[in-house]
């Protein structure tokens, strides 16, 4: 499989373009919403009315921005850069900023492959090498036991991972940050891959193991249902197939939107049946797991010796099925870093594909570092998230990178420039432009409450740094006054300093300026794809800098409306 169409120098050029854009605009992304009023962020960083930003954002989303002229356009365009005045560094042209932001996002830069393009390239490579097609079990309806977001993510990513494994000729997958084990279970049950799910939380590991057990129970009933449906289309079928159906409701497990159980009669029949049917997915995926059943002979016609032999074989078969299932998916508890020795965790480790679905913070770059360093890892497919949890090597305060290797920047190219984003900017990168464009994703009232609370803390208390956390107080508060009382109690501050009337006066004073906060947050949302793009281009650049990789690319795996962190970093070794 040939390398992606973008070489290292081209990716570096794209990085330079985004860096230039962010060097002008990053002040807005790094402004803390909590300090919006205490730092007078709107007047300090912008010179346009809030309504212009709101209307420009709306017109850009409906495609009418080409005909729109901003109300406060600078007379001399040469005096602005990306909508910011070169003399004051304040925003003077919201329309120019929004257009520049689109041009410097990953879609605007045109550096990403689609999921279909990647799959097509892998299939063409397989055809050239005359390798067999990816083996699949019976189609599994994931929305039966996952929500729509997780179902979309697992189905989209698992097919890519299976194709990568087939391309590399490997049967093992290491799922880093496996969490509840949805991806791991699906890869093992649907594609017959041996998956090691590694997570730092023992509760997640235990939950993944239990969830996998219930998935197998689900799949057993699911197979029976499929057989019954198929049998209805045939001229002749057995009475047993007619009576088999899915039963709703596995109680006590809220991970399943629709559970599957068996009636008491079915349970009894299943447990006493000598020739018990094997697990649906394992039998469908792997021929060597399947064992042909012997012709049925009525129990009354069996000798005692034959009956005992069949009972013994049934017990052995059940034990073998359990062993095979355990080997297909092995949840492991371990804290993983770039220095982790995988062979110390996995005794049976062979060549494998490393994957990560929404690995948080530094775990995503650690996954890429492991892929580069470990010869047993043939491919990687990493989807990161939680950019605010990344540690930065060039933090001016020196507070984020306290434990050796940092998560950003990853590439030598960005490290040479000592590039620094800032935590608030990385927090902004987590915002979902596509969702906000549809009126979702920003809880403006809660942000407004917190910013006004910060004014109260400044005016009446000595402790008012933005790092002070009040927790999830808003969801429990009945009003702004109630919110402030709850927050002061959480911060262990004296509530008696302020009357309810005093608190309400603060709300009423800043309420007319709520539009400023709304407009400002839309500006931060607009910059989010550009900041995320720089982080992901840095990771791609890191892979491009390696000599033993035959392919590396950014791939859009998911629908951003369903899953905002939709880009994967994919790499293949020679």
């Amino acid at each position: 499989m040939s390398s992606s169409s973008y070489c290292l120098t081209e990716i570096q050029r794209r990085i330079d373009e985004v860096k230039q854009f962010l060097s002008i605009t990053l002040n807005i992304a790094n402004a803390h919403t909590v300090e919006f009023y205490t730092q007078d962020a709107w007047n300090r960083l912008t010179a346009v009315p809030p309504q212009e930003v709101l209307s420009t954002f709306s017109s850009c989303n409906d495609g009418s921005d080409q005909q729109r002229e901003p109300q406060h356009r600078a007379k001399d365009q040469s005096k602005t850069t990306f909508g910011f005045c070169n003399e004051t560094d304040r925003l003077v042209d919201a329309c120019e900023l929004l257009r520049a932001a689109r041009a410097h996002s990953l879609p605007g830069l045109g550096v990403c492959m689609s999921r279909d393009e990647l799959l097509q390239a892998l299939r063409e490579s397989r055809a050239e090498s005359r390798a067999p097609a990816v083996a699949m079990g019976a189609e599994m309806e994931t929305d039966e036991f996952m929500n729509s977001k997780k179902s979309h993510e697992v189905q989209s990513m698992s097919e890519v991972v299976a194709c990568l494994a087939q391309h590399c000729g490997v049967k093992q997958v290491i799922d880093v940050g496996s969490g509840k084990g949805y991806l791991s279970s699906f890869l093992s049950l649907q594609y017959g891959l041996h998956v090691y799910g590694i997570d730092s939380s023992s509760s997640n590991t235990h939950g993944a193991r239990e969830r996998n057990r219930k998935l197998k129970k689900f799949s057993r009933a699911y197979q029976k249902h499929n057989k019954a449906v198929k049998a209805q289309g045939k001229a002749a079928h057995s009475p047993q197939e007619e009576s088999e159906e899915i039963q709703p409701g596995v109680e006590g497990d809220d991970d399943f939107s629709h559970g599957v159980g068996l009636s008491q009669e079915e349970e009894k029949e299943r447990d006493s049946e000598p020739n018990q049917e094997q697990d649906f997915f394992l039998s469908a995926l792997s021929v060597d797991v399947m064992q042909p059943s012997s012709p049925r002979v009525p129990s009354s016609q069996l000798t005692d010796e034959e009956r005992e032999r069949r009972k013994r074989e049934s017990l052995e078969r059940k034990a073998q099925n359990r062993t095979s299932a355990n080997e297909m998916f092995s949840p492991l508890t371990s804290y993983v870093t770039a220095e982790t020795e995988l062979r110390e965790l996995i005794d049976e480790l062979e060549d494998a594909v490393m994957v990560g679905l929404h690995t948080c913070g530094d775990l995503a770059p650690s996954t890429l570092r492991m892929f580069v360093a470990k010869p047993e890892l043939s491919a990687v497919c990493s989807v990161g998230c939680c950019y605010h949890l990344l540690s930065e090597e060039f933090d001016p305060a020196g507070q984020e990178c306290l434990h050796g290797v940092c998560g950003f920047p990853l590439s030598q190219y960005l490290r040479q420039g000592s590039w620094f984003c800032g935590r608030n900017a990385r927090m902004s990168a987590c915002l979902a432009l596509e969702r906000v464009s549809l009126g979702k994703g920003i809880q403006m009232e809660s942000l407004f409450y917190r910013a006004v609370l910060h004014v109260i803390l400044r005016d009446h208390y000595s402790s008012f740094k933005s790092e002070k956390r009040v927790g999830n107080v808003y969801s429990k508060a009945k009003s702004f006054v109630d919110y402030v009382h709850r927050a002061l109690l959480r911060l262990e501050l004296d509530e008696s300093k302020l009357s309810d009337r005093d608190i309400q006066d603060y709300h009423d004073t800043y309420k007319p300026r709520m539009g400023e906060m709304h407009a400002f947050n839309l500006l931060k949302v607009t910059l989010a794809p550009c900041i995320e793009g720089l982080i992901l281009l840095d990771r791609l650049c890191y892979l491009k800098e390696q000599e033993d990789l035959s392919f590396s690319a950014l791939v859009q795996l998911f629908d951003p409306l369903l899953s905002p962190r939709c880009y994967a970093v994919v790499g293949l070794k020679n």
Side-chain angles (χ1 to χ4, degrees):
M1 184 171 174
S2 61
S3 179
S4 67
S5 57
Y6 296 99
C7 63
L8 175 60
T9 55
E10 183 68 18
I11 296 302
Q12 290 173 342
R13 189 172 71 83
R14 294 290 198 274
I15 287 176
D16 289 340
E17 294 174 7
V18 180
K19 281 173 55 182
Q20 182 185 9
F21 174 72
L22 291 179
S23 67
I24 303 296
T25 62
L26 209 56
N27 283 339
I28 286 182
N30 267 319
H32 205 306
T33 306
V34 168
E35 299 173 335
F36 183 76
Y37 294 121
T38 59
Q39 298 291 328
D40 197 19
W42 182 259
N43 293 317
R44 181 168 52 89
L45 297 172
T46 75
V48 294
Q51 188 56 42
E52 180 177 328
V53 173
L54 296 175
S55 60
T56 301
F57 187 86
S58 176
S59 63
C60 282
N61 289 329
D62 62 23
S64 60
D65 59 311
Q66 297 297 328
Q67 292 77 34
R68 183 177 182 83
E69 289 293 322
Q71 301 169 17
H72 290 260
R73 181 181 294 277
K75 293 182 180 180
D76 188 352
Q77 290 292 301
S78 64
K79 293 183 179 180
T80 64
T81 305
F82 304 129
F84 286 79
C85 176
N86 294 336
E87 296 178 357
T88 65
D89 294 331
R90 297 168 72 195
L91 177 66
V92 296
D93 189 338
C95 191
E96 184 182 349
L97 171 62
L98 266 63
R99 289 174 181 171
R102 281 192 301 191
H104 291 88
S105 66
L106 288 178
L109 294 170
V111 294
C112 295
M113 298 180 71
S114 70
R115 175 178 172 273
D116 289 343
E117 288 172 336
L118 175 64
L119 290 174
Q120 181 63 28
L122 290 170
R123 288 166 183 150
E124 290 175 354
S125 175
R126 183 184 69 225
E128 291 174 2
S129 62
R130 298 183 179 180
V134 177
M136 283 186 62
E139 190 65 26
M140 183 178 179
E141 297 294 338
T142 54
D143 56 2
E144 292 285 345
F145 53 90
M146 303 180 200
N147 62 37
S148 58
K149 175 180 181 293
K150 184 60 65 176
S151 174
H152 170 66
E153 292 166 351
V154 167
Q155 290 199 72
S156 298
M157 188 168 183
S158 62
E159 184 178 3
V160 170
V161 173
C163 285
L164 289 172
Q166 191 277 336
H167 174 86
C168 299
V170 303
K171 294 292 291 181
Q172 289 189 357
V173 174
I174 300 174
D175 184 4
V176 180
S178 53
K180 295 182 178 181
Y182 286 119
L183 178 64
S184 296
S185 293
F186 193 79
L187 284 169
S188 63
L189 297 175
Q190 183 75 6
Y191 290 99
L193 295 167
H194 295 253
V195 184
Y196 297 93
I198 306 176
D199 197 272
S200 62
S201 169
S202 58
S203 61
N204 275 348
T205 303
H206 174 76
R209 185 176 290 107
E210 181 65 13
R211 193 169 292 103
N212 194 58
R213 180 187 67 79
K214 292 181 179 181
L215 276 173
K216 288 183 288 183
K217 183 178 180 180
F218 169 87
S219 66
R220 187 181 299 114
Y222 189 82
Q223 182 193 27
K224 289 185 176 183
H225 172 70
N226 280 349
K227 281 189 174 182
V229 171
K230 291 179 180 179
Q232 291 175 2
K234 296 181 180 180
H237 49 270
S238 67
Q240 180 182 359
E241 286 179 326
E242 288 183 339
S243 65
E244 292 169 339
E245 58 179 318
I246 291 184
Q247 303 292 333
V250 173
E251 297 182 4
D253 186 0
D254 57 4
D255 291 314
F256 295 83
S257 58
H258 296 84
V260 177
L262 301 176
S263 65
Q264 292 182 352
E265 291 77 14
E266 286 173 315
E267 291 276 5
K268 183 176 179 181
E269 178 185 357
R270 182 198 65 189
D271 293 337
S272 61
E273 181 64 52
N275 192 34
Q276 181 187 0
E277 187 173 80
Q278 294 181 13
D279 183 277
F280 156 50
F281 291 103
L282 296 179
S283 62
L285 290 170
S286 182
V287 176
D288 59 351
V289 176
M290 298 176 61
Q291 296 188 16
S293 57
S294 56
R296 301 293 297 155
V297 177
S299 178
S300 58
Q301 298 180 16
L302 294 176
T303 63
D304 291 342
E305 181 180 353
E306 179 66 15
R307 189 178 292 109
E308 184 64 28
R309 184 185 67 80
R310 289 196 175 187
K311 182 179 179 180
R312 184 172 62 253
E313 288 179 351
S314 177
L315 292 174
E316 291 174 352
R317 191 157 52 246
K318 290 178 182 178
Q320 181 181 359
N321 289 343
R322 287 194 296 270
T323 301
S324 298
N326 290 335
E327 289 175 352
M328 297 294 280
F329 173 40
S330 303
L332 306 171
T333 303
S334 179
Y335 182 79
V336 177
T337 68
E339 291 75 32
T340 299
E341 288 296 335
L342 296 175
R343 294 192 181 279
E344 294 180 1
L345 293 176
I346 306 170
D347 293 335
E348 304 83 4
L349 181 63
E350 301 172 358
D351 288 351
V353 174
M354 175 161 278
V355 303
L357 174 55
H358 291 152
T359 47
C360 291
D362 286 346
L363 185 55
S366 291
T367 299
L368 298 179
R369 285 190 172 106
M370 277 192 286
F371 165 67
V372 168
K374 314 294 183 186
E376 61 269 23
L377 299 179
S378 303
V380 67
C381 183
S382 171
V383 182
C385 69
C386 303
Y387 302 127
H388 60 292
L389 298 179
L390 279 171
S391 60
E392 291 202 58
E393 181 176 357
F394 302 104
D395 176 18
Q399 296 178 349
E400 293 191 347
C401 194
L402 303 176
H403 306 288
V405 180
C406 293
F408 180 85
L410 186 62
S411 67
Q412 190 63 31
Y413 187 70
L414 264 184
R415 293 181 69 227
Q416 289 173 351
S418 303
W419 182 262
F420 174 72
C421 274
R423 188 180 189 277
N424 291 333
R426 287 183 279 108
M427 180 74 80
S428 299
C430 299
L431 298 172
L433 175 61
E434 290 80 8
R435 288 183 176 180
V436 174
S437 299
L438 296 180
K440 304 176 182 178
I442 295 183
Q443 298 293 331
M444 282 308 307
E445 188 176 65
S446 65
L447 297 175
F448 173 70
Y449 277 15
R450 182 63 182 88
V452 178
L453 170 66
H454 206 58
V455 177
I456 294 175
L457 295 177
R458 179 198 64 185
D459 292 350
H460 297 277
Y461 301 90
S462 60
S463 177
F464 63 94
K465 292 183 178 180
S466 61
E467 288 77 10
K468 285 288 185 179
R469 304 184 187 280
V470 299
N472 190 22
V473 172
Y474 173 79
S475 64
K476 303 173 184 178
K478 300 176 182 178
S479 65
F480 179 71
V481 173
D482 185 31
Y483 171 86
V484 172
H485 282 305
R486 288 175 179 271
L488 293 176
L489 186 64
R490 177 69 63 88
L491 296 173
E492 299 180 347
L493 297 174
D494 184 8
E495 298 179 65
S496 64
K497 282 188 176 185
L498 293 168
S499 67
D500 289 357
R501 182 67 260 171
D502 293 332
I503 296 173
Q504 187 61 39
D505 284 345
Y506 273 97
H507 176 276
D508 295 345
T509 297
Y510 283 93
K511 181 68 174 178
R513 297 182 60 187
M514 192 172 176
E516 295 177 2
M517 175 173 281
H518 187 193
F520 197 81
N521 276 282
L522 289 182
L523 293 177
K524 298 182 76 169
V525 169
T526 300
L527 297 176
C530 309
I531 304 168
E532 179 183 35
L534 181 66
I535 293 171
L536 296 179
L537 284 171
D538 171 57
R539 295 175 183 179
L540 177 61
C541 185
Y542 171 74
L543 293 187
K544 297 286 185 185
E545 290 171 347
Q546 313 306 316
E547 296 181 354
D548 62 339
L549 266 65
S550 61
F551 175 86
S552 56
L554 286 177
V555 182
Q556 182 177 334
L557 288 188
F558 312 134
D559 179 349
L561 284 174
L562 283 174
S563 182
R565 306 281 75 77
C566 60
Y567 294 103
V569 181
V570 176
L572 287 165
K573 289 181 181 174
N574 290 324

